[in-house]
Amino acid sequence: MHHTKAYSAASAASPLASNTIPRRDPTEHDVQIEILFCGICHSDLHAVRNEWSSVMPTVYPIVPGHEIVGRVAKVGSAVTKYKPGDVAAVGCLVDSDGTCPQCKAGLEQFCPHLTLTFNSPDKHLGGVTYGGYSNSIVVDERFVLRVPSNLKLAGAAPLLCAGITTYSPMRHWGVTKGKKVGVVGLGGLGHMAVKFAHAFGARVVVFTTSPNKKEDALRLGADEVVVSRDADEMKKQAGSFEFILDAVSADHDINAYMNLLGRDSNLTLVGAPANPLAVAAFGLIMGRRSLSGSNIGGLAETQEMLDFCGAHNITADVEVIPIQKVNEAYERLLKSDVKYRFSIDMASLKSQ
Ligand code: NAP
Ligand code: ZN
């Protein structure tokens, strides 16, 4: 075991603060990574504040962070895919049983025994796993991913969660050339969804509560922007969508979007607000519409997404911050004031 610097929260009401955490020494299949950048996902904030207490209660102290890129520092004796000096990435998963039907199907994100990057039981050290707001992490090589060499690392980090979470459902539901696709909420996930839907050739409509994001949405690849608080603008879109991705982090009326779907069309929820959403039966019945959810993506698909990003030169639009500004960044996330992902430069923690 060794120790590394981290930022952690001691309770749901505490700010994140500097701390030291243990990491295991690499076992034969492990890769030790010096973390260079870690994205800030709204899930980090939900977890730090224990907003998902009924589903996955937070164990304190919590070290969040699951959008990790860094450089390999050490490898175990049986590691074949990585060597010291390589750029490597880690997303939301650090372990799974590898034997269940979900794992065999390459859908490790649905494994009943999966280990999340933070706030999951840590089978090596006891306690819970600690995430990427730290200088170093040790991960089984099966859960380490490759970043295409043309991608800038600060903007590549968010691909590990915001990227795969939006890429996967759009692949699953067949977002392709010419389809009309809606993206609800232009935050970290939403702006990646716009980039992917545009790259897949879809006609992309962004729904936002922030009129000041209109120009950005068009620049990111949207064909049209609707301010969702404008009832007339919403009405014009009724029944016209083949697919809608909802990436909103807070309570909102999902029925307003169900009514925009055409026949046999789907709305996939990736946003995970703390409270249950009310769904009107008629929004589903009329038009035989469906509502589903999606959780990040498996390892193979995450690598496929990273390679797709390499081929199309796609990264997140990031505001790089030092770790010392993380609490301020959380407050800005709550105000929908992020353009469009915070990426923490971990050198700022090293030098603290
Ligand atoms: P984010 O960057 O904070 O973006 C959320 C966006 O939602 C905001 O920018 C805003 O967009 C919109 N929004 C916020 N409050 C709203 C309200 N009251 N009514 C309507 N719209 C509102 O968050 P994120 O990191 O993209 O994450 C989004 C959600 O996805 C979170 O709940 C997160 O936990 C969840 N998530 C799920 C998965 C998964 O696997 N399913 C993975 C990662 C994250 P506008 O300003 O454009 O309205
Ligand atoms: Zn995330």
Side-chain angles (χ1 to χ4, degrees), residues 40-44 66-67 92 160-162 165 189 296 341:
I40 297 182
C41 179
H42 207 113
S43 302
D44 299 349
H66 56 204
E67 295 184 334
C92 302
L160 277 301
C161 176
T165 301
L189 266 57
I296 45 172
R341 198 59 146 182

Side-chain angles (χ1 to χ4, degrees), residues 7 12 34 48 70 72 77 83 95 139 171 173 196 215 227 247 274:
Y7 252 54
E34 181 202 350
V48 162
V72 175
S77 58
K83 59 178 189 321
D95 206 359
V139 180
R171 282 297 199 210
W173 288 98
F196 286 132
E215 265 174 41
V227 176

Side-chain angles (χ1 to χ4, degrees), residues 6 23 30 150 195 202 255 283 295:
R23 295 289 192 195
D30 282 338
N150 56 316
K195 291 190 183 207
N255 302 298
N295 180 34

Side-chain angles (χ1 to χ4, degrees), residues 41-43 46 52 161 165 185-190 207-210 213 229 247-252 270-273 294-296 333 336 338 340-341:
C41 179
H42 207 113
S43 302
H46 289 307
W52 293 334
C161 176
T165 301
L186 197 65
L189 266 57
F207 294 92
T208 181
T209 58
S210 310
K213 292 183 183 171
R229 290 188 172 132
V248 173
S249 52
D251 295 344
H252 62 291
V270 285
S294 190
N295 180 34
I296 45 172
L333 269 192
S336 303
V338 50
Y340 279 85
R341 198 59 146 182

Side-chain angles (χ1 to χ4, degrees), residues 108-130:
E108 295 85 358
Q109 74 272 32
F110 303 127
C111 171
H113 304 115
L114 66 81
T115 306
L116 295 169
T117 306
F118 62 83
N119 198 42
S120 262
D122 184 336
K123 69 180 188 197
H124 297 270
L125 295 181
V128 290
T129 50
Y130 293 134

Side-chain angles (χ1 to χ4, degrees), residues 16-263:
L16 289 149
S18 181
N19 196 353
T20 299
I21 54 164
R23 295 289 192 195
R24 67 181 183 269
D25 291 324
T27 64
E28 57 176 349
H29 293 288
D30 282 338
V31 177
Q32 183 172 327
I33 299 167
E34 181 202 350
I35 301 176
L36 298 175
F37 292 95
C38 184
I40 297 182
C41 179
H42 207 113
S43 302
D44 299 349
L45 190 158
H46 289 307
V48 162
R49 303 198 176 172
N50 204 13
E51 290 172 1
W52 293 334
S53 57
S54 57
V55 191
M56 39 173 104
T58 302
V59 177
Y60 295 94
I62 178 176
V63 178
H66 56 204
E67 295 184 334
I68 298 167
V69 293
R71 205 166 281 289
V72 175
K74 271 188 198 169
V75 295
S77 58
V79 169
T80 56
K81 289 195 299 185
Y82 298 92
K83 59 178 189 321
D86 286 353
V87 169
V90 178
C92 302
L93 306 174
V94 290
D95 206 359
S96 70
D97 64 24
T99 56
C100 73
Q102 311 302 340
C103 286
K104 285 194 170 145
L107 297 168
E108 295 85 358
Q109 74 272 32
F110 303 127
C111 171
H113 304 115
L114 66 81
T115 306
L116 295 169
T117 306
F118 62 83
N119 198 42
S120 262
D122 184 336
K123 69 180 188 197
H124 297 270
L125 295 181
V128 290
T129 50
Y130 293 134
Y133 295 10
S134 61
N135 280 138
S136 160
I137 191 165
V138 179
V139 180
D140 186 310
E141 77 166 321
R142 208 158 62 86
F143 291 82
V144 180
L145 295 140
R146 281 204 179 279
V147 181
S149 58
N150 56 316
L151 300 183
K152 290 224 170 77
L153 296 185
L159 300 177
L160 277 301
C161 176
I164 184 60
T165 301
T166 52
Y167 179 93
S168 180
M170 287 199 276
R171 282 297 199 210
H172 179 77
W173 288 98
V175 170
T176 46
K177 200 169 171 50
K179 296 236 168 127
K180 189 173 177 189
V181 170
V183 174
V184 187
L186 197 65
L189 266 57
H191 98 289
M192 288 311 308
V194 172
K195 291 190 183 207
F196 286 132
H198 177 73
F200 298 157
R203 176 174 165 69
V204 188
V205 182
V206 165
F207 294 92
T208 181
T209 58
S210 310
N212 63 355
K213 292 183 183 171
K214 243 180 170 171
E215 265 174 41
D216 281 347
L218 296 171
R219 176 181 55 78
L220 291 163
D223 297 284
E224 209 178 324
V225 185
V226 173
V227 176
S228 51
R229 290 188 172 132
D230 183 328
D232 288 339
E233 276 196 56
M234 290 293 282
K235 226 181 201 167
K236 283 189 207 145
Q237 303 287 339
S240 68
F241 283 86
E242 283 153 297
F243 179 74
I244 297 177
L245 192 77
D246 182 332
V248 173
S249 52
D251 295 344
H252 62 291
D253 177 20
I254 199 175
N255 302 298
Y257 298 100
M258 293 305 300
N259 292 331
L260 305 188
L261 291 172
R263 173 172 57 79

